[in-house]
Amino acid sequence: QVHLVESGGGLVQAGGSLGLSCAASDRTFSTYAMGWFRQAPGKEREFVAAISQSGGRTYYSDFVKGRFTISRDNSKNTMYLHMNSLKPEDTAVYYCAARPTYAGNTYYSSASDYTYWGQGTQVTVSS
């Protein structure tokens, strides 16, 4: 079982930038497809971005495309989300998720596709 820990959340003004990290405890990190999700108060958890095992394939939700960048460093067992041009509506708890994926090089955009979840990190964007 892999343990995921997010970090890097905080308070930022609208238009600003913030970077999140997700550190995995498992040395087989490179076999996991990874994703970022977020959940705002009173709302369903929603997909933000996903990345394949090698990092060669990425996928974004429409509302973050062009503003957020997902990446990973398999040598450090860490995934990242760099967020630019933040908006108040980006305020949410951000979660990283992992899915063991031993074949292919793919990504997943549904929360139900993921097996392991971090505890979340709060991102607050002030107007």
Side-chain angles (χ1 to χ4, degrees):
Q1 180 170 345
V2 64
H3 183 56
L4 303 173
V5 179
E6 301 97 337
S7 62
L11 174 64
V12 63
Q13 288 189 329
S17 299
L18 203 60
L20 305 182
S21 298
C22 172
S25 61
D26 197 328
R27 287 179 293 176
T28 61
F29 177 75
S30 63
T31 66
Y32 291 97
M34 301 292 295
W36 287 100
F37 291 77
R38 69 186 188 187
Q39 188 167 18
K43 295 187 177 181
E44 297 284 321
R45 187 170 299 191
E46 62 182 2
F47 168 74
V48 174
I51 190 166
S52 63
Q53 299 95 302
S54 70
R57 298 183 69 193
T58 58
Y59 181 65
Y60 298 90
S61 64
D62 288 342
F63 51 78
V64 304
K65 197 176 298 181
R67 299 189 297 124
F68 291 10
T69 302
I70 188 172
S71 62
R72 65 190 294 165
D73 186 339
N74 287 344
S75 69
K76 296 181 179 180
N77 294 345
T78 303
M79 175 179 67
Y80 306 95
L81 184 69
H82 188 72
M83 305 180 290
N84 290 325
S85 302
L86 282 161
K87 305 175 182 180
E89 51 264 42
D90 293 319
T91 295
V93 177
Y94 282 71
Y95 299 90
C96 66
R99 173 189 167 119
T101 309
Y102 298 100
N105 186 34
T106 189
Y107 52 75
Y108 301 88
S109 60
S110 174
S112 61
D113 288 326
Y114 288 88
T115 307
Y116 304 110
W117 292 83
Q119 82 290 347
T121 185
Q122 176 70 47
V123 172
T124 302
V125 184
S126 63
S127 58

